[in-house]
Each structure stands twice: as structure tokens, then as C-alpha cells.
Amino acid sequence: MNLYTDVHCHLTGGEYGDINGLIDDITSAGVGLVITAGFDIQSSVEGKNLAEKYQNVYFTAGFHPTELKKYRQGDLETIEELCRHPKCVALGETGLDYHYPDTDKPLQKEMFLKQLSLAHRLNMPVQIHSRDCAEDMLEILKANASLISQGALLHCYSHSAEMAREFEKLGVYFSFGGTSTYKGSKRARKAVAAIDIKRILTETDSPYLPPASKYGTFPNTPASIPEITANLADIKGMEEAAFAEIVRQNALRLFTKISQRGAA
């Protein structure tokens, strides 16, 4: 039974070898819904190609904040075209990332707002990358709440539980991955405990961020989702299958194109 959901992974980078074998492994692990996230034009196009080939794979199209050096005139028009594809379920990943010392914050903010505006015009949700930028992210989303009226996901949520409560007021969803399974992940555990269960989703961000049982291995894959789901269910004090079904319904509510097509 396809219980599990991975709303954010990267299947397009060539890290997995035989992609057919990978999809078989994912399906055997009970992961019935996979969204491969675009972070530039190439990954977004390759995500489309995978989604067209595999029934349980969907994709997003967008420009990641640390990939903006690749941006060229006309790329937003290409993203718009990709977003109109029937299996493109969100614009993204877009957002802010202040982790690196050479960060061009004004450019990141400019491109983030442009992509939020495009998503709003297309009536699509957004997948948001938010790293070391909690205050600016909250300020931008508060000031532009109308642009996320179709929904927004803070993927691999890493800010505090207190900030999560503020984001939650804006109707944002939150996804958690392998790092939430580590014993030392107190911030993530507190955030999961604080967030309404109807706002929680599961992801791997594979090939990165393996769960505790696979620490130090590469590549991580969406087949890790059962371990991540079991951990989050435990934090919420729930039975795993019941929690997995709630996550699935959350995903269908946020990513309405999946609902319109029929879930895999």
C-alpha cells in the first residue's frame, strides 16, 4: 500500500544511477507520491521529463536562491511555461539563503518576490527554501501574504518553534526530513510538536540529508520516507499509518493539481 509521501526531493542530478531501479525501490518502500523539486531551468525541465515518465512522480519549477548566477533573461518565462504543465504542482524551489558569505541579499529578495508574484498569477502554491533568514522571510511573507493565497511550503523547516507559530498564521505548511530523526535535533522536534498536524508534510531532500539509520551515506533516496514518517508520528504521539494518511491528505490539499489528476 502506497502510504508515504515525499513532497521535496531531487531526482534529476544523476546521483542514483539506474533511475528505473530507484523508482522501483521507492514504490517497494510504500512511497506513493514523490515531488522532485526544480532549482534552476535544467533541473526543472528534467523534473518534467521524469514526471511524464513515472505515474507517481510530480515536479516543481523554479530558481533556488543560491543558483541565481545561472539566471538569464527569459528564464521566468520558461518557468511559467513549465508551471502550466499538468504535473507541475508548485513553483519552486524559491526563497532566501543567507548561509554563505557572498550572499547577494537584494538579488535574492528581488527574485523571490518575482517568483511569488508569478505563482500568484498562475494560482499555484510555492515551495520555499528558507535558510538562516527567518526574520526576513517572515517579514516578506507577511508583507506579501496575498501572493501565497494558493498555499506555501517551507521545506526542510529549520527555524524555531516560535517562528513556526508566526508562519502558521499565514497558512504556511512545513515539511521535515532526515535531520529531524537525529537525537540532537531538538529545534526540529520542538517545531513539529508546536505545529498543527494539518500543516505537516514529509520530505527527504534527497540525495541529501539521510535519516539517522543512514547517517553518512550518499545518496539518500525517497525510500527513507518511512523512517522519517515514523519519527514524526512518534513526536505527535500517533500511530504511523494514521499519521502518514494525514500527511497524504495535507499534500493533496496543498498541491491541488495532484487531487485534480487523481493521486497515485
Side-chain angles (χ1 to χ4, degrees), residues 18 84 122 132 167-168 172 239 244:
D18 175 21
R84 295 184 185 279
L122 295 172
D132 297 343
F167 286 119
E168 198 170 10
V172 168
E239 192 269 332

Side-chain angles (χ1 to χ4, degrees), residues 1-261:
M1 186 175 181
N2 295 328
L3 284 174
Y4 301 104
T5 305
D6 188 345
V7 299
H8 189 102
C9 61
H10 301 283
L11 302 184
T12 61
E15 297 92 348
Y16 306 99
D18 175 21
I19 194 71
N20 289 320
L22 173 67
I23 298 299
D24 287 343
D25 289 344
I26 293 169
T27 304
S28 296
V31 184
L33 174 59
V34 177
I35 301 174
T36 182
F39 52 85
D40 60 9
I41 297 300
Q42 181 178 345
S43 61
S44 299
V45 170
E46 291 176 357
K48 174 185 76 72
N49 294 338
L50 287 176
E52 289 175 344
K53 186 174 182 180
Y54 299 104
Q55 180 184 1
N56 61 336
V57 176
Y58 295 80
F59 78 103
T60 73
F63 243 100
H64 189 286
T66 66
E67 302 294 323
L68 292 175
K69 290 178 181 178
K70 300 177 186 177
Y71 181 80
R72 297 294 181 268
Q73 189 70 29
D75 281 352
L76 276 181
E77 286 78 7
T78 301
I79 290 170
E80 177 174 354
E81 182 181 353
L82 288 164
C83 283
R84 295 184 185 279
H85 189 283
K87 291 193 78 176
C88 184
V89 298
L91 189 149
E93 60 184 296
T94 181
L96 304 175
D97 189 323
Y98 293 172
H99 184 70
Y100 301 102
D102 62 345
T103 296
D104 187 338
K105 293 182 181 180
L107 177 61
Q108 286 195 9
K109 291 177 180 179
E110 176 189 354
M111 291 305 299
F112 182 33
L113 283 169
K114 283 184 177 180
Q115 291 181 85
L116 289 180
S117 296
L118 176 58
H120 177 65
R121 182 159 58 83
L122 295 172
N123 292 316
M124 294 189 74
V126 288
Q127 285 210 10
I128 298 174
H129 174 98
S130 183
R131 187 182 188 192
D132 297 343
C133 63
E135 291 78 13
D136 278 6
M137 179 59 68
L138 182 60
E139 180 181 343
I140 287 173
L141 294 185
K142 277 186 173 180
N144 298 277
S146 64
L147 299 183
I148 57 171
S149 60
Q150 297 302 309
L153 169 66
L154 286 170
H155 103 86
C156 202
Y157 184 76
S158 61
H159 305 312
S160 68
E162 291 75 21
M163 291 296 289
R165 294 187 186 98
E166 295 302 311
F167 286 119
E168 198 170 10
K169 293 174 184 177
L170 299 171
V172 168
Y173 290 74
F174 308 80
S175 58
F176 297 87
T179 54
S180 66
T181 66
Y182 300 141
K183 290 183 179 179
S185 297
K186 294 180 180 179
R187 173 177 283 197
R189 294 183 69 87
K190 287 180 179 178
V192 172
I195 294 167
D196 187 321
I197 196 168
K198 292 183 178 180
R199 294 285 165 183
I200 294 177
L201 294 163
T202 50
E203 68 161 284
T204 58
D205 204 18
S206 58
Y208 316 107
L209 307 181
S213 72
K214 300 175 183 175
Y215 179 77
T217 65
F218 186 89
N220 184 29
T221 81
S224 296
I225 280 290
E227 180 177 350
I228 293 165
T229 302
N231 175 68
L232 297 176
D234 181 67
I235 295 171
K236 282 298 195 183
M238 289 189 64
E239 192 269 332
E240 181 181 346
F243 179 81
E245 177 59 25
I246 289 173
V247 167
R248 181 181 178 84
Q249 294 305 317
N250 293 347
L252 296 178
R253 188 167 59 252
L254 176 59
F255 304 113
T256 57
K257 278 190 181 180
I258 299 173
S259 299
Q260 291 163 7
R261 288 180 58 86

